[in-house]
Amino acid sequence: MRTGQTAPDFRLPDHEGNIRSLSELLAAGPVVLFFYPAASSPICTAEACHFRDLGRSFDALGAQRVGISTDTSDKQSHFALQRSFDYPLLADSDASVAGEFGVRRGGWFARRRRRKEIESRKSHAAQRGMIRQLLSVKRTTFVIDRNRVIRLVVTSERAHVHADKALDYLRYLS
């Protein structure tokens, strides 16, 4: 998805087992929806904690933070409790929403083929590449307005960039 496009509506379970939809979330104001590859991994933890730590700033601008990954609700629940997140973490276990937003990485066969190539090389750089290829989604953040229009897309593997850029954009709008 790109800036200016309409975000697809979805219904997913959160870390508490409640079903959430994008349209219901948007009723309270703009949504900062961030996709992350894996709950409890080091970079994802840093990113999610940065969103948590900037909570008051997002609240002051009327924006909601929502995390989403292909982890199960149980894994999301453990992650949320472990890190005291004050925003919903959604479980997109089949990666269907990630696919609709265009942040899903290659399919199973592509990952399997890449893994075989990397295992044959065994270098550290190749192993890092394999880990990135095995992750199911690209780290991406969307700022979505009340009309479901995507206003900002942030793509970076740096943990703090997503929350900072989303917050800067929301401040610019106000």
Side-chain angles (χ1 to χ4, degrees):
M1 306 266 4
R2 294 186 315 245
T3 302
Q5 291 184 308
T6 301
D9 201 5
F10 57 79
R11 293 178 52 80
L12 290 174
D14 69 12
H15 66 279
E16 295 176 333
N18 302 313
I19 301 297
R20 304 282 190 118
S21 72
L22 180 59
S23 54
E24 290 169 353
L25 291 164
L26 288 170
V31 168
V32 178
L33 180 69
F34 66 99
F35 286 86
Y36 58 98
S40 299
S41 66
I43 296 173
C44 294
T45 298
E47 177 185 21
C49 287
H50 193 56
F51 271 103
R52 178 200 61 207
D53 297 344
L54 293 174
R56 287 188 180 156
S57 298
F58 281 105
D59 290 346
L61 295 167
Q64 303 172 78
R65 300 150 293 145
V66 179
I68 185 170
S69 77
T70 57
D71 294 303
T72 63
S73 289
D74 289 343
K75 188 161 185 182
Q76 297 282 45
S77 178
H78 176 74
F79 187 40
L81 289 172
Q82 182 184 38
R83 300 295 177 175
S84 302
F85 294 132
D86 60 343
Y87 56 86
L89 299 179
L90 306 181
D92 181 23
S93 300
D94 65 357
S96 60
V97 174
E100 289 182 63
F101 274 84
V103 299
R104 187 175 183 178
R105 292 193 191 269
W108 182 82
F109 289 109
R111 291 191 303 271
R112 183 174 177 219
R113 182 176 56 244
R114 178 76 176 135
R115 184 177 354 158
K116 285 183 179 183
E117 289 173 13
I118 290 169
E119 286 173 353
S120 68
R121 289 188 252 153
K122 297 289 184 190
S123 73
H124 177 70
Q127 289 172 356
R128 282 187 59 219
M130 180 178 85
I131 290 169
R132 180 173 287 159
Q133 288 297 318
L134 291 175
L135 297 175
S136 55
V137 298
K138 300 171 194 168
R139 187 178 317 282
T140 310
T141 297
F142 297 91
V143 175
I144 305 168
D145 72 15
R146 284 179 170 235
N147 298 316
R148 286 192 13 226
V149 175
I150 296 172
R151 295 297 176 190
L152 177 71
V153 180
V154 180
T155 57
S156 173
E157 288 303 317
R158 295 179 56 211
H160 290 77
V161 169
H162 293 261
D164 291 344
K165 284 193 174 185
L167 197 54
D168 287 346
Y169 180 77
L170 290 165
R171 283 180 180 140
Y172 170 76
L173 290 180
S174 56

